[in-house]
Amino acid sequence: MIETINSPNDLKKVKLKDLTVIADQIRNIIIDVTSKNGGHLASSLGAIELTLALHYVFNTPKDKIVWDVGHQAYAHKIITGRREQFRTLRTYGGLSGFPKITESEYDTFNVGHASTAISAALGMTTAKDLLNTKEKVIAVIGDGALTSGITFEALNNSGELDKDLIVVLNDNKMSISKSLGAISTYLTKRLTGPTYNTLRREIERAIKGFPVLNEPALKLAKKIEESFKFFSPGLLFEEFGFKYFGPVDGENIEDLVTIFENVKNLRGPVFVHVLTKKGKGYKFAEENPSKFHGIGPFDVSTGQTLEKAKSPSYSSVFGNSIIDIMKDKPKVVAISAAMLIGTGLEKAKNLFPERVFDVGIAEQHAVTFAGGLAISGIKPIVAIYSTFLQRAYDQIIHDIALQKLNVVFAIDRAGVVGDDGETHQGIFDISYLNLVPNMIITAPKDARELDALLRFSVDNDFGPFSIRYPRGESVDFGEQFIDTIEFGKWQVLNDTESCDICIISYGNCVKYSMQSIPILQEKEINPFIVNARFIKPFDDKMFNEILNRFKNIIIMEENTYIGSLGQNLITYAYTHYENHKSKIEHIALPDAFLEQGESEFLRKKYSLSCDNLINKVYTLLGR
């Protein structure tokens, strides 16, 4: 049947009872494609019935569905004319893993970061009133969004504006891993409490006993409903000015269709609470929804991932280092923003439950919370992906850097991250942190140096100290390249008296510099290789020596060139050495949002490779 569904209009032609068949077929497609391409599997499996009901009832694309994050939007893509393209999910030139306005008229807002849906939807419904149009606007949020401040800012403003807005809560008690915080606890207690469930059964029994719902019966039902709110999870949302409906069984399409038909023409803000099951329909995802939240290619029959790492990831190296540090230093704590597993902190949380904090999808709070700890004598390490740290920029400047507090920022997924595309590339952190006074920025060349920089940062009181490292498998250059870290000092990795050219790189790009050595030496070119592990402050003494010694310099880095180390070094060279004779070639990422694609493919496309580095050397030397 799914082959006949090329738009929501086709879906509306299907009998209501047959939508479960469509749901099962979509589930099979999603499992098959993600098993090959990887992706956000568990979230999308749990939201299929909800997605079908929304498109069955509402007149999309005229009516606008705004998905929060978009992890749960795979079924939405399949039934909005992208079924055949779905096999290209998360590949270069293929479908995005998230809603994307340039991809389809059914995608109403670009998303990838959590908790933006209600704000965007409120803006759309306000614009609708200003333009005097008649469409419906629906925001679909996950329960993880209820840990985020922007969600409550939007709920508060929605109640004040009293616009026609439908918010659907897709509640599976999970965000990426188990949802945390007082709101999650509140909802769970209300939904599972004996008083709530007993009252609900009694009310259902009483209403069924009414022969006709005449006016006295309706008044009684209304009074019962008002009393019931004190025991239901809806009281919170009613206080924000929403009409609350639910909880609704998210696996029952007929119930979902009925509730959406009932609420779609109501005036004012409406909140529909839907209970779903993350990973529904695939045994391994149901049993381990956190693993299958975002997963690489896997064997459908066993649930085992197919890609076997040759070396530990930087995230796991970080996680193991944190455990060792916390054993030795009782004042060190770690903070995550709903990313314990992704950042490698899950083991540390199990060992030190009182010293590892998962604050939910609340990066702003995470940073200022760390500031409060730091000013009280604790040494916090805040582990957040590069792309998500952007959300806490004001807190970094105002609450941490301005007071020069000793907070360590462990910036995971820095640089190119690949398949998740524009919304997740970590290519701006050096640029936005370079602007901040008192901020120290470092990048390790390999796993050993990541451990060393972490220890260096907690052993000293330098103020805010950032350590950025890439996604994926770590590199280990061996013991011969271990040295004692000194503040603000670079490391020379290759030097001879007859060096022809200087190559400066840091982090992930050091491997390309090191790979170039034997190839260049075969051509009788000896490169002077520098590990610029301190990006801010940079090693001005060594750079002065480089400017005096070398006529040809290459700077290579995995960050947008604007605000980068290379831009700062070039500016320094021309302001401090007006007559310097050095030719400086800067290899960096463009001023652009990088598309999705396999990470190494994207790096090569944007000139971050050993081959490109060697060609730049040949060009500069005229070979």
Side-chain angles (χ1 to χ4, degrees), residues 394-409:
D394 178 65
Q395 287 67 35
I396 292 170
I397 294 173
H398 182 270
D399 300 337
I400 307 301
L402 185 63
Q403 303 179 84
K404 202 175 182 181
L405 297 180
N406 295 310
V407 176
V408 178
F409 293 97

Side-chain angles (χ1 to χ4, degrees), residues 46-291:
I48 293 173
E49 286 79 5
L50 170 59
T51 303
L52 292 178
L54 285 168
H55 280 290
Y56 198 78
V57 171
F58 292 97
N59 183 28
T60 56
K62 181 182 178 182
D63 291 342
K64 302 181 188 304
I65 302 174
V66 185
W67 299 94
D68 198 83
V69 184
H71 291 153
Q72 70 274 49
Y74 288 179
H76 162 79
K77 287 178 179 276
I78 290 171
I79 62 173
T80 53
R82 289 170 277 181
R83 186 184 69 255
E84 292 299 323
Q85 292 174 277
F86 193 70
R87 59 184 174 79
T88 69
L89 184 74
R90 302 175 76 247
T91 61
Y92 181 73
L95 288 185
S96 171
F98 304 97
K100 190 174 180 179
I101 58 173
T102 57
E103 189 178 285
S104 170
E105 63 180 337
Y106 292 92
D107 293 356
T108 58
F109 202 78
N110 278 11
V111 289
H113 292 192
S115 312
T116 61
I118 302 177
S119 296
L122 181 60
M124 291 177 188
T125 195
T126 302
K128 175 198 74 171
D129 290 348
L130 293 171
L131 298 171
N132 197 29
T133 55
K134 302 299 182 184
E135 68 271 15
K136 309 295 181 185
V137 183
I138 307 99
V140 183
I141 67 170
D143 54 314
L146 295 178
T147 65
S148 179
I150 186 175
T151 295
F152 285 93
E153 292 168 18
L155 286 171
N156 186 53
N157 195 208
S158 298
E160 178 189 5
L161 294 179
D162 197 33
K163 298 293 184 182
D164 295 345
L165 171 66
I166 298 171
V167 175
V168 178
L169 172 61
N170 173 20
D171 182 0
N172 57 27
K173 301 181 180 62
M174 304 283 289
S175 50
I176 291 173
S177 50
K178 189 173 177 60
S179 289
L180 300 167
I183 302 301
S184 176
T185 302
Y186 168 82
L187 292 177
T188 301
K189 283 182 177 179
R190 288 291 184 266
L191 289 170
T192 58
T195 305
Y196 167 78
N197 285 288
T198 301
L199 274 173
R200 186 169 187 167
R201 285 193 297 270
E202 291 297 326
I203 290 169
E204 287 174 355
R205 189 179 299 122
I207 290 175
K208 286 177 182 177
F210 291 153
V212 178
L213 279 178
N214 53 25
E215 188 172 344
L218 286 171
K219 286 183 178 178
L220 176 59
K222 182 66 177 175
K223 287 182 179 179
I224 293 172
E225 179 195 13
E226 291 299 323
S227 301
F228 187 56
K229 284 176 185 173
F230 288 101
F231 300 97
S232 83
L235 179 61
L236 172 68
F237 306 106
E238 294 270 353
E239 290 300 312
F240 276 108
F242 282 76
K243 301 179 184 73
Y244 173 87
F245 298 89
V248 185
D249 181 0
E251 298 181 20
N252 189 317
I253 297 181
E254 293 190 20
D255 284 357
L256 288 168
V257 167
T258 300
I259 193 92
F260 289 139
E261 287 285 3
N262 289 341
V263 304
K264 71 177 183 179
N265 292 315
L266 293 180
R267 300 299 304 276
V270 170
F271 197 98
V272 181
H273 186 176
V274 179
L275 301 179
T276 62
K277 185 173 186 179
K278 194 167 184 177
K280 181 181 183 302
Y282 182 53
K283 173 187 174 184
F284 302 107
E286 289 184 11
E287 293 173 350
N288 194 346
S290 296
K291 173 184 175 181

Side-chain angles (χ1 to χ4, degrees), residues 574-587:
Y574 282 96
T575 53
H576 289 73
Y577 289 83
E578 293 182 9
N579 299 315
H580 80 89
K581 304 298 184 181
S582 302
K583 294 180 182 178
I584 302 177
E585 184 77 25
H586 185 203
I587 306 171

